[in-house]
Amino acid sequence: MTLEQLLQQLKFDHLADQLETVCEQAASRELDYREFLSEALQCEWAGRHRRGIDSRIKQARLPWLKTLEQLDFDFQPSIDRKVVRQLSGLAFVERAENIVLLGPPGVGKTHLAVALGMKAIESGHRVLFMTVDQLMSRLRKAREENRLERILAQLSYPKVLILDEIGYLPLSRDEANLFFRLVSRRYEKASLILTSNKSFTDWGDVFGDPVLATAILDRLLHHSTTINIKGESYRLKEKRKAGLLNQRPQMETQPTDDHHEETAEAES
Ligand code: ADP
Ligand code: MG
């Protein structure tokens, strides 16, 4: 077999693509055999690693790609850097713990959720992002088609499930029940990252039933970190900077909550 055929048979696609460059570089740097082999395999490995990340990013259906490095902590002091740094170490994923991000619109909840999702993707975890709205229509449809069990199993599979925008629309009792089933399935098995513009005290209204809301919060918050973001909308800041707004908006404030184990809050 030729070298090209060998690479093809072994599915060393990345090395096959880069073969000329890798060989030229080895020659110009006068690498010995061992160093060359290591460089060549490194090239293949890097390509596979990158492809794995790309395919997990695609599967995750993130609304946009944002990183922690792009998050301006100075603008939003109520996001505790230390807590975020700790979360970015991903022990929460290993321990199947949850993250709840609370705060008014525009303060970076989705950004933070996506950025933590990206970290998880980079270190090899499967992530899935959906709005609660999308989740509900998926679950309702699944039930109509008698596939609820299968879809619930599918949704239990990603190591991190990001559910964005709880509380923007109130859920019916029936939807709240479906939500409860999903939370119970994932409880102590895989992480949820939730964002909400409603404080926990308002979740009774969101789920249309205080008993069900308590049961949901109980599982959700048992092993969890809550970040309560208080402050100004980043979107408005950008508009103001562009001269489109001149007045500081009146932001609704989030009541704090002490139901959960670890709370990261600071006054903004
Ligand atoms: P929320 O989900 O809380 O409504 P988003 O996460 O969608 O807010 O943030 C709105 C926009 O502002 C996004 O484009 C996001 O990237 C940006 N943004 C929000 N907070 C910050 C921040 N602290 N630093 C940099 N960009 C931010
Ligand atoms: Mg959002």
Side-chain angles (χ1 to χ4, degrees):
M1 269 197 266
T2 65
L3 175 57
E4 281 74 14
Q5 286 168 331
L6 272 169
L7 291 174
Q8 198 186 7
Q9 289 296 318
L10 288 166
K11 299 199 170 22
F12 277 30
D13 304 347
H14 304 283
L15 182 53
D17 285 347
Q18 299 288 314
L19 193 58
E20 289 312 313
T21 323
V22 172
C23 291
E24 275 165 26
Q25 280 180 2
S28 74
R29 288 164 56 203
E30 298 182 12
L31 300 184
D32 63 27
Y33 296 128
R34 201 186 168 85
E35 287 167 338
F36 168 67
L37 185 59
S38 161
E39 286 286 307
L41 294 179
Q42 204 80 242
C43 163
E44 179 60 31
W45 183 84
R48 287 185 189 186
H49 183 65
R50 186 66 239 167
R51 189 159 60 190
I53 291 177
D54 288 346
S55 102
R56 284 192 299 278
I57 287 177
K58 223 185 232 161
Q59 286 170 345
R61 297 168 189 265
L62 300 169
W64 17 258
L65 303 185
K66 286 279 166 88
T67 63
L68 287 178
E69 291 69 32
Q70 290 171 293
L71 193 75
D72 181 355
F73 287 88
D74 290 333
F75 176 75
Q76 212 61 272
S78 62
I79 305 177
D80 188 331
R81 287 168 210 255
K82 267 197 307 218
V83 172
V84 173
R85 199 177 313 128
Q86 200 179 16
L87 292 174
S88 71
L90 301 177
F92 83 93
V93 181
E94 306 297 338
R95 298 193 211 125
E97 294 177 357
N98 302 324
I99 299 176
V100 186
L101 306 171
L102 302 179
V107 293
K109 300 182 298 296
T110 305
H111 185 137
L112 193 50
V114 165
L116 288 168
M118 285 290 287
K119 283 277 178 227
I121 286 172
E122 281 162 14
S123 69
H125 297 295
R126 275 181 202 259
V127 173
L128 181 63
F129 178 104
M130 38 196 347
T131 63
V132 171
D133 220 28
Q134 288 167 335
L135 170 73
M136 284 310 157
S137 46
R138 181 116 164 239
L139 291 178
R140 278 194 314 260
K141 185 155 174 280
R143 194 176 41 195
E144 279 162 25
E145 295 170 354
N146 249 330
R147 294 188 307 134
L148 186 57
E149 268 309 305
R150 178 134 45 101
I151 297 299
L152 282 171
Q154 249 176 41
L155 292 172
S156 311
Y157 181 58
K159 286 298 275 182
V160 177
L161 178 62
I162 303 172
L163 297 178
D164 200 25
E165 301 188 345
I166 293 184
Y168 277 91
L169 297 169
L171 303 183
S172 68
R173 219 197 142 87
D174 189 44
E175 289 172 326
N177 256 308
L178 290 171
F179 191 86
F180 174 72
R181 285 181 67 174
L182 178 65
V183 170
S184 302
R185 277 248 186 176
R186 292 182 62 92
Y187 176 62
E188 295 187 334
K189 293 201 185 73
S191 300
L192 282 169
I193 301 181
L194 306 181
T195 79
S196 181
N197 63 336
K198 295 278 196 305
S199 66
F200 292 131
T201 43
D202 293 332
W203 282 33
D205 295 336
V206 172
F207 291 107
D209 175 348
V211 177
L212 201 50
T214 306
I216 289 169
L217 280 172
D218 202 48
R219 280 161 185 74
L220 213 55
L221 302 181
H222 184 195
H223 311 289
S224 69
T225 302
T226 298
I227 298 181
N228 211 331
I229 311 176
K230 299 168 209 167
E232 200 192 334
S233 161
Y234 197 82
R235 295 189 190 103
L236 293 185
K237 174 209 126 160
E238 290 194 317
K239 278 198 185 137
R240 186 173 308 111
K241 216 165 71 184
L244 298 171
L245 288 174
N246 45 25
Q247 278 186 329
R248 292 207 140 232
Q250 288 270 309
M251 300 309 296
E252 51 176 289
T253 49
Q254 287 285 315
T256 59
D257 185 275
D258 56 8
H259 186 115
H260 38 85
E261 292 185 339
E262 302 168 67
T263 307
E265 310 175 337
E267 293 303 320
S268 52

